[in-house]
Amino acid sequence: IAPGLLVGLISRIIGAGFLGGLIGGYVAGWAAMLVIAYVKVPKWAAGLMPTLIIPFLASLIAGLFMFYVLGGPIAAGTVWLTGYMKTLDTSQKFLYGMIIGVLASVDYGGAINKTVFAFVLALQAEGINEPITVLILASMVTPMGYTLAYFLGKLVHKNIYTPLEVETLKTAFPMGLVEITEGSLPIVLNDLWRSVVATGVGGAVGGGLSMLWGADSKIPASGLFAVPTMSRPWAFIVALIIGSVVTALVYLILKKPVSATDLQEEKEEEDLNLKDLKISD
């Protein structure tokens, strides 16, 4: 904790910002591991290692490295990146919105999403709110798009969901409204590549439009609860609807209809009653 706190303060002082603090956290952790691995003390001082020696030496190493080596380039990079993002033209905004939308959506809250989140959160710390709004939107298009695909499937008489998946939608949709994508995973894992394609296309279109129209959430998460903080809430809502419709259409087109055999097998599983099981003596 002590080395991490120190590099965070140094990042703020030298202008490295959130990104400097994020990278500095890794530096602090590595410094602590080096001290643990290579610093040996007499037995009588072993008790001081976790309370004094490790925090002191790790803070000293990480702090000096951050201040004299790493901090300057990160601060310069942050200034350049902030200035660059503020000068994007129309086509560039749409392109970057598409890229963020795809990367933030295709692994459904996994490692790629979290990496993108760290990047866009660093931009928000510098006053650029549009990229993180794209991430919020991209995390919502999957559950909303899949739910919409169910109703569109009814209109065109194409049944793409099993009864169990329909029950999953009843949970996934409200979770999606508050930016929790994971409720859709039971459906995604049943047909992974079609799900990824539909999600990626919808996230790209919705993200590109959100960035282009300047949707700007002032908070980094929470789905529809972030809308009141935006200066252009209509841009977010319209982009979200369009992205969800695109996801629904692509998924509906790619997905194979549920066969009668699959429905029958699932019905037989549902009919299994544990009360009918008997244990003989």
Side-chain angles (χ1 to χ4, degrees):
I1 295 174
L5 178 62
L6 181 63
V7 296
L9 291 173
I10 292 174
S11 295
R12 184 174 180 85
I13 292 171
I14 64 178
F18 175 85
L19 189 59
L22 180 66
I23 298 174
Y26 286 98
V27 174
W30 291 329
M33 291 178 64
L34 287 173
V35 173
I36 293 171
Y38 295 105
V39 174
K40 307 300 179 183
V41 297
K43 289 184 178 181
W44 61 266
L48 296 176
M49 282 291 287
T51 57
L52 177 62
I53 298 174
I54 294 174
F56 175 74
L57 292 180
S59 297
L60 183 64
I61 295 169
L64 291 173
F65 188 79
M66 190 69 189
F67 194 87
Y68 290 106
V69 179
L70 199 59
I74 293 177
T78 300
V79 172
W80 174 84
L81 182 60
T82 303
Y84 175 71
M85 294 298 295
K86 289 180 178 180
T87 59
L88 293 178
D89 60 27
T90 300
S91 60
Q92 290 174 320
K93 287 182 178 179
F94 186 79
L95 177 61
Y96 279 105
M98 289 182 64
I99 294 172
I100 295 172
V102 171
L103 295 177
S105 62
V106 292
D107 70 339
Y108 307 98
I112 301 174
N113 177 282
K114 296 302 182 285
T115 302
V116 175
F117 178 76
F119 172 72
V120 296
L121 188 61
L123 290 175
Q124 188 178 48
E126 301 300 324
I128 302 174
N129 299 314
E130 291 81 4
I132 204 162
T133 311
V134 173
L135 182 137
I136 294 173
L137 182 146
S139 300
M140 298 172 67
V141 295
T142 299
M144 297 187 69
Y146 288 3
T147 305
L148 184 58
Y150 169 77
F151 293 104
L152 293 178
K154 292 292 185 183
L155 291 177
V156 298
H157 306 291
K158 183 179 181 181
N159 185 18
I160 61 173
Y161 293 117
T162 65
L164 184 58
E165 289 175 332
V166 174
E167 291 300 314
T168 300
L169 287 175
K170 295 178 182 178
T171 303
F173 180 74
M175 291 176 67
L177 295 179
V178 291
E179 200 193 338
I180 303 175
T181 313
E182 288 79 1
S184 304
L185 284 177
I187 296 175
V188 170
L189 296 176
N190 287 341
D191 197 342
L192 186 59
W193 81 265
R194 291 181 176 87
S195 299
V196 170
V197 171
T199 296
V201 174
V205 173
L209 293 175
S210 174
M211 189 87 169
L212 177 64
W213 293 335
D216 55 345
S217 173
K218 304 302 188 297
I219 57 177
S222 76
L224 289 182
F225 289 108
V227 173
T229 72
M230 301 179 190
S231 59
R232 296 183 178 181
W234 63 267
F236 180 82
I237 296 297
V238 175
L240 177 62
I241 292 173
I242 294 174
S244 300
V245 170
V246 171
T247 298
L249 290 175
V250 174
Y251 195 61
L252 185 62
I253 292 170
L254 294 179
K255 196 84 165 76
K256 294 181 180 180
V258 177
S259 65
T261 303
D262 292 336
L263 291 175
Q264 182 62 31
E265 290 177 354
E266 188 164 324
K267 181 65 168 62
E268 290 175 356
E269 292 178 3
E270 290 176 353
D271 288 342
L272 178 62
N273 191 339
L274 294 178
K275 293 181 180 179
D276 296 333
L277 299 177
K278 295 182 179 179
I279 301 176
S280 59
D281 296 332

